[in-house]
């Protein structure tokens, strides 16, 4: 299967700082990537759809000024959590689709963010 | 939006037992995937199965899109099968995947 890599896997930061998470498709090009968030013992919730060369599409209730998404190339999307607070602590997972609009999605390893 | 419900929510098995996990969805889909989330959070792709039946070793899956459900079969379960199983569906006309509620499986020796 295709490989999606995410970095960092764990990050601890102080309240008020910003954190950037990178998501790369290693062996295929992805015009669209997706960012999910998962709280303990819950399912994955889609935060936003990242579109190469254009603005991201955010799900209802997700603050676009808090979670900045940039998709500058066909293999890299970044999520920046700005002015992080303890309630932003969560597991963030990115994914990329291989193939057409209904193609298979592959996921990165996830990034566990802890805000002190 | 589409609703995706999985059952059972929790399942405890003895090693060697078989099990069936179910995924019901409320709208037409053009994509359905099954994942296993390991204890470290990594999502492992099990099946890409918008329709029909597939098998991979001890695992197999069937999707009946017209009746809006999919089943994941695990045979001769092993302790390494423990974890959370998610189905996720893609609604026709949209690119995103919507995740189900998950089934937490524990296989004891």
């Amino acid at each position: 299967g295709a490989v999606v890599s995410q970095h960092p896997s764990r990050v601890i930061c102080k309240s008020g700082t910003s954190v950037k998470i990178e998501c790369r498709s290693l062996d295929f090009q992805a015009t669209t990537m997706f960012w999910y968030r998962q709280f303990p013992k819950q399912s994955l919730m889609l935060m936003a759809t990242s579109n190469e060369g254009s603005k991201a599409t955010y799900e209802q209730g997700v603050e676009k000024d808090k979670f900045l998404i940039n998709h500058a190339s066909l293999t890299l999307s970044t999520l920046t959590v700005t002015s992080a607070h303890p309630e932003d602590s969560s597991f963030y997972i990115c994914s990329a689709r291989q193939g057409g609009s209904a193609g298979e999605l592959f996921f990165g390893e996830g990034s566990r963010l802890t805000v002190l | 939006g589409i609703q995706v419900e999985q059952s059972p929510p929790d399942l405890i098995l003895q090693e060697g037992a078989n099990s069936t996990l179910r995924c019901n969805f409320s709208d037409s889909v053009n994509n359905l995937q099954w994942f296993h989330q390991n204890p470290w959070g990594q999502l492992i792709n099990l099946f890409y199965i918008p329709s029909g039946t597939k098998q991979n070793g001890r695992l197999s899956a069937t999707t009946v899109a017209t009746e809006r459900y999919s089943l994941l079969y695990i045979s001769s379960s092993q302790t390494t099968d423990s974890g959370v199983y998610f189905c996720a569906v893609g609604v026709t006309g949209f690119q995103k995947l919507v995740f189900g509620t998950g089934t937490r499986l524990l296989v004891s020796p």
Side-chain angles (χ1 to χ4, degrees):
Chain A
V3 180
V4 177
S5 179
Q6 198 170 330
H7 178 81
S9 57
R10 288 181 181 274
V11 57
I12 300 173
C13 69
K14 292 183 179 180
S15 186
T17 61
S18 294
V19 174
K20 180 185 283 189
I21 301 169
E22 293 187 348
C23 178
R24 296 180 184 271
S25 55
L26 298 186
D27 52 359
F28 66 102
Q29 294 183 330
T31 56
T32 306
M33 293 185 176
F34 304 89
W35 288 94
Y36 288 82
R37 182 174 182 176
Q38 186 180 31
F39 290 108
K41 298 192 184 301
Q42 293 188 20
S43 185
L44 280 76
M45 297 300 294
L46 180 67
M47 298 175 65
T49 301
S50 171
N51 304 298
E52 188 267 336
S54 64
K55 291 183 179 180
T57 305
Y58 290 82
E59 294 298 300
Q60 193 171 11
V62 177
E63 300 176 59
K64 57 183 69 176
D65 294 330
K66 158 71 80 175
F67 300 101
L68 299 180
I69 290 172
N70 183 278
H71 193 154
S73 77
L74 288 171
T75 59
L76 173 64
S77 175
T78 60
L79 169 68
T80 301
V81 183
T82 63
S83 187
H85 288 95
E87 57 266 30
D88 299 323
S89 299
S90 190
F91 191 58
Y92 294 88
I93 317 175
C94 72
S95 66
R97 169 166 282 118
Q98 185 181 45
S101 59
E104 188 171 0
L105 239 59
F106 293 88
F107 283 78
E109 306 93 328
S111 300
R112 193 167 302 281
L113 170 63
T114 303
V115 185
L116 303 176
Chain B
I2 190 169
Q3 303 298 312
V4 187
E5 297 288 332
Q6 292 184 240
S7 60
D10 295 281
L11 185 59
I12 300 175
L13 298 174
Q14 201 77 16
E15 198 168 26
N18 303 327
S19 62
T20 301
L21 282 57
R22 188 176 181 100
C23 172
N24 290 332
F25 42 94
S26 61
D27 205 344
S28 298
V29 301
N30 63 356
N31 184 355
L32 190 145
Q33 293 184 235
W34 281 97
F35 299 93
H36 176 212
Q37 188 169 38
N38 67 20
W40 298 272
Q42 172 83 52
L43 283 169
I44 309 299
N45 286 40
L46 298 178
F47 292 101
Y48 169 72
I49 185 165
S51 64
T53 298
K54 290 186 178 180
Q55 180 159 6
N56 185 3
R58 297 181 296 104
L59 272 59
S60 64
T62 295
T63 297
V64 184
T66 53
E67 297 187 19
R68 301 183 181 173
Y69 74 89
S70 183
L71 302 173
L72 177 68
Y73 305 95
I74 304 175
S75 64
S76 304
S77 57
Q78 301 176 357
T79 56
T80 51
D81 294 333
S82 296
V84 184
Y85 289 80
F86 288 106
C87 68
V89 302
V91 178
T92 303
F94 295 88
Q95 290 202 60
K96 62 185 178 183
L97 274 189
V98 176
F99 276 74
T101 48
T103 293
R104 190 171 301 271
L105 173 65
L106 177 63
V107 181
S108 57

